[in-house]
Amino acid sequence: MKEFIQTLKNIWSLKELRDKILITLSLILVYRFASFISLPAINMAEVGDLLEKYQSQGGSKQGAGLLGLLSSFTGGAFSRASVMALGIMPYISASIIVQLMGMAIPYLQKLQKDGESGRNTLNQITRWLTIGVCLVQAPSYLTSITNVFLPYNQFGSAYFVDPNSVMFWLPSIVILVAGSVFAMWLGEKITDKGIGNGISILIMVGILADLPSAFIQEFTTKTGTGGSGAIMILIEVLFWLVVILLAIILSVAVRKIPIQYVSRAQARGGVNKNLMQGARQWIPLKVNAAGVMPIIFAQALMFVPGLLTGVDSSNAFLAGFKDVFSWQYNVLFALLIIVFTFFYTAITIPVNQMSDDLKRNGGLVPKVRPGKETSDYLDDILSKITLPGSIFLAIFAILPAIVHGSLVSTDRFALFFGGTSLLIMVGVVLDTVQQINTYLLNHHYDGLMQSKLSRTSNNI
């Protein structure tokens, strides 16, 4: 405990780090404040909570679950019809599109290799593509609000303007696009002026914003009439902490591949060959190199099976795909995650390029020949560690459905036991802690150098 308090004192004593943390907290506060500003055409005082309204009107469990999932990424802005309803997700979608297109378009491949200037151009392309994604998602969001979640014929008092008029659609689309661009700008400012990856921090803040109310709802259900009692709340919290610990292990687990860098004297076969020793290093191959991307890809495709119910609505098996907590939905979801984990790992980890770089820099894997044998060896190791990694990732993704009903009573709190929400929170927290440790280590190094220089100058 004393070391933790001392670390906090060290963080606060560093003016640069302290300023970055304060700037980050200030921008997060602005983001949270904007998420409570509703669209001018909608009277949220009449609407209340969209999730409750939707369920009270007989909405399907799939729609409520998916709406709750989307709402969690925006800190509730999605369900409040906020100006920030689209949040940062259009930027994430645009980044994924640019990353995937980079494998097929030579121009984007060239930009990825052009260093800082190439990254700046890619960022600019991503920004413009974000606006394009917003122009697609904003009308879809307004359509879902006016036709599904808040039908005008049932909730007419919730609208200041007729939702079928241009005066509703045009200003609302412009405001939603501006809100998403503003969220993107806040994320970039947190990255530049604050600490850590600003986009990821905004997503994490949006997820954490829903945690207190979800826990209170679960606590009320457990301790209310017919509940299982407060002891079950303690068991849930302990199990949740174990899940977080396992998620941390999955996020940081790596397989180290030893690398031997041969010295130039050894390479030339010089007289000091027996005296020179190569530098020993490692290539850390992550067990979960794909991160949360397979879950995001799989979730995007899980909308399709729900449409199959329109073919035969009486089929009980197909009807199960409309329930995010059903076994049909989660078995298919898990299989898609395993497939996408192998796919995304294969396209993002260039083993051939790694082998070429090692050969060019005089590095080699012990007992493995440079070139093709090295790339085959790395590919084989990567495939072996990706299989258990993909299985564990699939288990984490469907864990909310496993605990729902058996351990957790409410849908909202069950979502925090796994899936994208938990992995994003764990990943962002670990990255932020690493950033802070880096600042502390750099300050310690600079301080030692300054003290040495000061002693040297005094001796002179």
Side-chain angles (χ1 to χ4, degrees), residues 14-64:
L14 297 178
K15 184 180 184 303
E16 180 185 3
L17 183 56
R18 182 174 69 247
D19 291 344
K20 286 181 176 293
I21 293 177
L22 292 176
I23 290 174
T24 300
L25 294 176
S26 300
L27 294 177
I28 289 174
L29 183 63
V30 172
Y31 177 73
R32 291 298 302 149
F33 177 78
S35 67
F36 285 90
I37 303 175
S38 61
L39 291 172
I42 299 179
N43 183 9
M44 290 305 295
E46 294 287 336
V47 174
D49 191 351
L50 287 182
L51 285 173
E52 294 180 1
K53 290 288 184 181
Y54 177 58
Q55 290 176 325
S56 66
Q57 294 299 318
S60 67
K61 197 171 185 180
Q62 182 205 30

Side-chain angles (χ1 to χ4, degrees), residues 267-300:
R268 292 194 301 264
V271 294
N272 294 328
K273 181 177 180 180
N274 294 329
L275 299 178
M276 299 285 292
Q277 296 293 331
R280 189 95 179 203
Q281 296 184 8
W282 310 87
I283 295 180
L285 296 178
K286 297 190 68 174
V287 174
N288 182 29
V292 299
M293 297 308 299
I295 300 180
I296 295 176
F297 287 153
Q299 282 176 339

Side-chain angles (χ1 to χ4, degrees), residues 31-32 34-38 44 50 70-87 141 176 206:
Y31 177 73
R32 291 298 302 149
S35 67
F36 285 90
I37 303 175
S38 61
M44 290 305 295
L50 287 182
L70 292 173
S71 180
S72 67
F73 287 113
T74 60
F78 188 94
S79 60
R80 284 192 293 267
S82 166
V83 297
M84 307 288 284
L86 300 182
Y141 172 73
L176 286 173

Side-chain angles (χ1 to χ4, degrees), residues 412-460:
R412 293 173 61 192
F413 193 59
L415 293 175
F416 287 95
F417 277 80
T420 314
S421 302
L422 181 65
L423 292 175
I424 287 178
M425 288 191 298
V426 169
V428 175
V429 170
L430 290 177
D431 181 65
T432 303
V433 170
Q434 185 178 5
Q435 293 281 347
I436 294 176
N437 287 337
T438 300
Y439 279 106
L440 293 175
L441 290 174
N442 287 339
H443 179 268
H444 182 62
Y445 178 75
D446 292 340
L448 289 176
M449 292 297 293
Q450 290 173 1
S451 62
K452 288 181 180 179
L453 290 175
S454 62
R455 286 197 300 268
T456 305
S457 61
N458 291 334
N459 292 335
I460 293 175

Side-chain angles (χ1 to χ4, degrees), residues 135-319:
L135 291 175
V136 175
Q137 292 186 356
S140 301
Y141 172 73
L142 293 175
T143 300
S144 65
I145 290 293
T146 56
N147 294 334
V148 181
F149 304 114
L150 276 179
Y152 183 59
N153 55 357
Q154 300 179 32
F155 302 97
S157 61
Y159 295 95
F160 291 116
V161 182
D162 186 355
N164 298 318
S165 65
V166 178
M167 293 303 296
F168 173 84
W169 283 86
L170 184 59
S172 297
I173 290 175
V174 172
I175 291 172
L176 286 173
V177 173
S180 185
V181 172
F182 181 62
M184 176 182 65
W185 180 82
L186 287 176
E188 292 182 349
K189 285 301 177 182
I190 292 176
T191 302
D192 296 337
K193 305 294 185 180
I195 182 169
N197 188 336
I199 304 298
S200 300
I201 288 178
L202 290 183
I203 296 176
M204 182 193 68
V205 169
I207 295 172
L208 288 177
D210 193 49
L211 179 59
S213 59
F215 180 76
I216 292 174
Q217 183 182 11
E218 176 71 14
F219 182 83
T220 304
T221 303
K222 289 291 187 183
T223 56
T225 304
S228 52
I231 188 64
M232 287 302 299
I233 293 292
L234 179 60
I235 295 175
E236 287 182 23
V237 172
L238 293 177
F239 182 73
W240 186 49
L241 294 177
V242 172
V243 172
I244 292 176
L245 178 60
L246 295 176
I248 294 174
I249 294 175
L250 179 64
S251 300
V252 302
V254 295
R255 166 71 186 274
K256 293 182 177 181
I257 307 298
I259 300 297
Q260 188 79 23
Y261 282 96
V262 183
S263 64
R264 293 184 178 180
Q266 284 179 301
R268 292 194 301 264
V271 294
N272 294 328
K273 181 177 180 180
N274 294 329
L275 299 178
M276 299 285 292
Q277 296 293 331
R280 189 95 179 203
Q281 296 184 8
W282 310 87
I283 295 180
L285 296 178
K286 297 190 68 174
V287 174
N288 182 29
V292 299
M293 297 308 299
I295 300 180
I296 295 176
F297 287 153
Q299 282 176 339
L301 289 182
M302 287 308 296
F303 286 91
V304 177
L307 300 177
L308 297 177
T309 56
V311 179
D312 185 8
S313 58
S314 61
N315 191 312
F317 178 78
L318 294 179

Side-chain angles (χ1 to χ4, degrees), residues 106-126:
Y107 174 70
L108 296 179
Q109 293 178 356
K110 181 178 179 298
L111 290 177
Q112 292 174 349
K113 299 178 182 178
D114 283 348
E116 187 66 24
S117 62
R119 284 193 296 270
N120 292 334
T121 305
L122 284 174
N123 289 336
Q124 195 66 21
I125 293 174
T126 304

